[in-house]
Amino acid sequence: ANLTTQVRAIAEVATAVTQGDLTRSIQVEARGEVAELKDNINTMITNLRLTTDRNTEQDWLKTNLARFTAMLQGQRDLVTVGKMLLSELVPLVNAHQGLIYRLGSEERPHHKLLASYANAPTDGYPPRLELGLGFLGQCAVEKRRILVANVPADAVPIGSALFQVLPRSFVVFPVVFEGEMKAVIALASLHDFAPGHLALLEQLTAGMGIVLNNIEATMQ
């Protein structure tokens, strides 16, 4: 009777796996060779679930990178590109606020606010930002990503006509073309950023330098 119960439990989970359900595991009590078989099948299910999750994440990453590439191709206006990018990117990575600062061309380097998403209506991010000031300015100087979790209480809130709330996480990415800073992209979220979302932002900002440089060359 015990053996029959064990085999039925193993068969039930195995059947569920063949139908695509990778959330199950064999929970029946077993000893000896049957226990070893149970453990091996549970390990197999775990490994299969991890592989499936990685493949799904890679498909999501490639699909969205291709979508943004197609969306930005042929654009000739920097403000349009900034607004278009943030309107699509912010909700995609589960963020709630977005900013793009473009490096100014005057003698004293600074950043100009190119586009924003859900910026606070009062006491929001300024239209001009000096190079090296704050996380945005520091990202431009060091040309590397800055990720901040547990945002302090004096941070700029995420704005809305109905309410304002402080973000939980904040990330800034540099946009570089051939070693030259072009812009910084900052996103704030009420949640922690997932590794897949950060991977998308990393690859997307790497390609954004080419887009901004092409538009600037066309404008000149």
Side-chain angles (χ1 to χ4, degrees), residues 81-101:
V81 166
K83 292 180 178 180
M84 184 185 304
L85 181 66
L86 290 180
S87 67
E88 295 288 336
L89 184 61
V90 171
L92 179 65
V93 298
N94 201 24
H96 302 88
Q97 187 180 63
L99 305 158
I100 299 179
Y101 277 90

Side-chain angles (χ1 to χ4, degrees), residues 1-92:
N2 286 339
L3 183 59
T4 300
T5 300
Q6 293 164 359
V7 171
R8 284 177 177 172
I10 293 173
E12 180 184 357
V13 174
T15 300
V17 171
T18 62
Q19 295 173 350
D21 184 1
L22 301 178
T23 63
R24 304 282 297 275
S25 63
I26 303 168
Q27 302 294 333
V28 69
E29 293 291 334
R31 292 187 299 175
E33 293 176 342
V34 176
E36 184 178 353
L37 174 63
K38 182 191 81 170
D39 293 340
N40 287 337
I41 292 178
N42 283 340
T43 301
M44 179 189 69
I45 294 172
T46 300
N47 292 338
L48 183 60
R49 182 170 61 249
L50 292 175
T51 301
T52 301
D53 290 343
R54 282 195 297 268
N55 291 339
T56 301
E57 183 177 295
Q58 286 299 313
D59 289 342
W60 178 86
L61 183 63
K62 293 177 182 177
T63 298
N64 282 291
L65 284 174
R67 183 167 68 88
F68 276 104
T69 299
M71 180 180 69
L72 299 176
Q73 190 173 13
Q75 295 294 329
R76 292 292 180 265
D77 182 73
L78 288 172
V79 175
T80 300
V81 166
K83 292 180 178 180
M84 184 185 304
L85 181 66
L86 290 180
S87 67
E88 295 288 336
L89 184 61
V90 171
L92 179 65

